[in-house]
Amino acid sequence: MRRPAPRTAPHPGLGQPAVPGAAASGGGHVSWVGAHGGAGTSTLAELVGGSDLERRLPDPAQGEPGRVLLVARTHAAGLRAASRALEALHSGQHPAGVELLAVVLVADAPGRLPLHLMQRIRVLRSVADVHRVPWIPAWRGEKRSGALPKSVRLLAELAGSAVQRPGRREKKR
């Protein structure tokens, strides 16, 4: 059975197009892997760049980027799925060459999380680097333009994408 090609779609003007094989050379290409369906891998791959592998781990032997950003929503089921995925990664249930860069938690609703969910996030942080993406109302529709939140710009740096800071201009001499 042939695997589908990973989808790569950097946001226009935000990231550089992903280069196949860049992960092996230490470049910025990453794989976005969802801990569950609807985690946000396609949106993040579109905005930051990298390969959206949906829910499957990459196979670096097939040329897929082995540097993984594991994505989950901040609801209870999403955090449980992230825990299960981390457990599998830490027990070696992955292809050779897979490296977890971080867990990316995408807000499932506006506002603060309940205490029991924050406690689950603390547990995740005890075993992996965790980055949080806030609730962004515009992302519910088709609008993905405008300034990216700081947390997403930091993810782009982690992923090795060349993100331009919005609103900054070079000084003229």
Side-chain angles (χ1 to χ4, degrees), residues 62-167:
Q62 298 294 319
E64 295 174 329
R67 299 171 62 221
V68 170
L69 290 162
L70 179 68
V71 184
R73 293 285 179 169
T74 55
H75 49 61
L79 296 175
R80 278 193 306 273
S83 292
R84 286 191 302 271
L86 280 174
E87 188 175 316
L89 284 167
H90 283 278
S91 65
Q93 298 175 21
H94 56 76
V98 169
E99 172 195 3
L100 176 68
L101 294 179
V103 175
V104 179
L105 299 177
V106 180
D108 68 309
R112 296 180 60 153
L113 289 176
L115 181 59
H116 71 282
L117 296 178
M118 286 302 300
Q119 290 170 332
R120 288 178 187 232
I121 291 172
R122 282 188 206 108
V123 171
L124 293 174
R125 281 191 173 130
S126 71
V127 296
D129 189 20
V130 173
H131 293 264
R132 301 217 13 224
V133 176
W135 177 258
I136 302 168
W139 288 7
R140 294 189 81 195
E142 296 297 319
K143 185 179 178 184
R144 303 244 196 310
S145 61
L148 291 176
K150 182 179 181 179
S151 59
V152 177
R153 291 193 314 266
L154 291 173
L155 281 174
E157 290 176 19
L158 180 64
S161 295
V163 175
Q164 299 170 2
R165 297 185 68 102

Side-chain angles (χ1 to χ4, degrees), residues 33-73:
V33 176
H36 56 87
T41 58
S42 60
T43 298
L44 290 167
E46 174 187 326
L47 291 168
V48 173
S51 296
D52 173 14
L53 297 186
E54 297 174 356
R55 293 188 61 196
R56 70 176 179 82
L57 288 171
D59 186 355
Q62 298 294 319
E64 295 174 329
R67 299 171 62 221
V68 170
L69 290 162
L70 179 68
V71 184
R73 293 285 179 169

Side-chain angles (χ1 to χ4, degrees), residues 15-42:
Q16 299 298 321
V19 178
S25 63
H29 198 55
V30 297
S31 292
W32 296 91
V33 176
H36 56 87
T41 58
S42 60

